[in-house]
Amino acid sequence: MIGAGAAVVGLAATLATPVLSRAADLVGRGVGLVIRHVSDAAVADLAERGAQVRTEVERLARELVGWMVPPVVDAAVAEMNLTQLVARHVDIDFLAALLDVDAVVARADLDAVIARVDIAAVLDRVDLNTIIDRLDLDAIVGSVDLDAVAAKIDLEAIVKRVDPDAVIARVDVDATLARLDLAAIARQVIDEIDLPEILRQSTGAVSSEAVREIRDESMLADEALARFVDRVLRRRRAASP
Amino acid sequence: MSAQQGEGNAGLVTRLLAAAVDAIAVVIATAGLYLGATGIRFFWSPLRFQWPQPGPWTSTLTLMAVAAAYLTVAWATTGRSYGATLLGVRVLARSRRRLGWIRALLRAITCVLVPIGLLWTAISPARRSWHDILVGTVVVYDRYRDRGEHAMTPERTTFPMRHRSR
């Protein structure tokens, strides 16, 4: 706005300058005529007075311009849409290309800017739920190399830091046992085992072993007795194979 | 008659053991019979019930009758009493066939009446007792038949002796 005002003032000055110079020219010619017919002293006096008048006129002209121009400019600006005017006639891209952004940034005190920012208020305005909804967490997790992550974890160190006594001390064994139906578990185990079948098999194995032993021993005793009787009766006995 | 003829036939010790087991079985069976009869008597007239007290003759005759019946049934059906099953022997005809009912009954009666005839097994080269000789039977080792490995044929009744290493 200030720039625009200055431009208007310059414009007015440009318009006023020919008027003023014409007036000065007329005055100069009149002064020349007088000088040809008057004495040097009078001329000098008149020149001095003329200079004073010229100075005064110039002052008055400036005052006049200063008095007239602002309302005129205001009226002109009110009539014109400066934004559209600038957009139509000014090549903003060109102007932007001329800007040295690095220099601007270097001049800016970013710390001060950040210090002025109310981060809490900014965060309050951020809708995290919306952001999270937009995130594809599966894709993110899929892109993570979990093996590499696990390889980097030093489990030994973690385990060393764990105090097993403290962990065990926190476990309520009585409550855990109270929750277990030990009788039902025992019944289930016994049902699965088929104890009678095991007893039957082991008893059968033991008894069949005992019977086999009795049979073997009795057969050997038969043989021994037969040999003895043969010897007593002096019976010839073929050699056993 | 050579001693080799007795190969495969059960010797005296095995047969005595089998007879002892059978004797115990007979005593138990007789006791069961006695208790059964007593129970029937109690139910028949509970008010006048008294434990029956049979005399020695009655007891002996009952025992002998039970033994004869038990042995007859065992030999005529399977050729094995309980004692024979336990000791792995079987009573067969000399032809290695199963005894008929009559021959089984005759052998049972002779065994019950003259049990001492069993001792002849030790002297007989073919390991035959008086009852075997009288009725025409043999008692063979037949333990492999328990496992279905041995057929009841004359060739297979020869039992290979186990050689002990001591």
Side-chain angles (χ1 to χ4, degrees), chain B residues 17-110:
Chain B
L17 285 173
V21 172
D22 284 337
I24 292 167
V26 166
V27 169
I28 291 170
T30 309
L33 202 66
Y34 170 74
L35 287 174
T38 307
I40 290 170
R41 191 169 164 178
F42 173 77
F43 279 110
W44 190 257
S45 56
L47 291 176
R48 288 185 297 170
F49 174 75
Q50 282 184 330
W51 281 96
Q53 292 179 332
W57 282 106
T58 312
S59 300
T60 307
L61 284 174
T62 308
L63 268 173
M64 289 169 78
V66 170
Y70 162 68
L71 291 172
T72 301
V73 172
W75 290 335
T77 52
T78 62
R80 304 181 109 176
S81 60
Y82 181 71
T85 304
L86 203 63
L87 272 296
V89 295
R90 189 184 295 272
V91 179
L92 297 172
R94 289 190 71 180
S95 61
R96 298 307 199 264
R97 292 178 188 283
R98 196 159 292 164
L99 301 185
W101 282 96
I102 293 171
R103 213 190 305 199
L105 177 64
L106 278 175
R107 192 175 192 277
I109 290 170
T110 54

Side-chain angles (χ1 to χ4, degrees), chain B residues 93-154:
Chain B
R94 289 190 71 180
S95 61
R96 298 307 199 264
R97 292 178 188 283
R98 196 159 292 164
L99 301 185
W101 282 96
I102 293 171
R103 213 190 305 199
L105 177 64
L106 278 175
R107 192 175 192 277
I109 290 170
T110 54
C111 279
V112 167
L113 290 177
V114 197
I116 200 169
L118 185 61
L119 295 176
W120 192 252
T121 308
I123 297 164
S124 163
R127 295 182 173 178
R128 298 178 76 195
S129 64
W130 288 350
H131 328 108
D132 290 327
I133 296 166
L134 192 68
V135 187
T137 55
V138 286
V139 179
V140 297
Y141 293 118
D142 199 15
R143 55 191 297 187
Y144 281 180
R145 280 182 60 80
D146 296 341
R147 302 176 216 165
E149 298 170 8
H150 204 283
M152 197 171 60
T153 56

Side-chain angles (χ1 to χ4, degrees), chain A residues 76-108:
Chain A
V77 169
E79 283 300 316
M80 288 185 292
N81 188 340
L82 274 178
T83 308
Q84 282 184 359
L85 204 66
V86 170
R88 201 180 308 141
H89 296 289
V90 178
D91 185 354
I92 293 172
D93 289 335
F94 178 72
L95 289 177
L98 290 179
L99 271 178
D100 184 355
V101 177
D102 286 337
V104 172
V105 170
R107 264 188 285 168

Side-chain angles (χ1 to χ4, degrees), chain A residues 215-217 219 222 235, chain B residues 14 85 141 143 159 164:
Chain A
R215 288 174 179 181
D216 289 346
E217 293 297 335
M219 279 176 70
D222 287 342
R235 265 200 308 233
Chain B
T14 302
T85 304
Y141 293 118
R143 55 191 297 187
F159 181 73
R164 274 202 164 183

Side-chain angles (χ1 to χ4, degrees), chain A residues 211-223 225-226 229-230 233 235-241, chain B residues 3-4 10-14 17 85-88 122-123 125 127 141 143 146-147 159 161-164:
Chain A
V211 165
R212 202 172 301 129
E213 194 66 23
I214 291 168
R215 288 174 179 181
D216 289 346
E217 293 297 335
S218 65
M219 279 176 70
L220 287 169
D222 287 342
E223 193 65 15
L225 180 64
V229 171
D230 285 345
L233 299 178
R235 265 200 308 233
R236 192 167 52 81
R237 185 180 174 81
S240 298
Chain B
Q4 284 303 94
L12 178 65
V13 178
T14 302
L17 285 173
T85 304
L86 203 63
L87 272 296
I123 297 164
R127 295 182 173 178
Y141 293 118
R143 55 191 297 187
D146 296 341
R147 302 176 216 165
F159 181 73
M161 289 299 294
R162 190 181 68 162
H163 294 283
R164 274 202 164 183

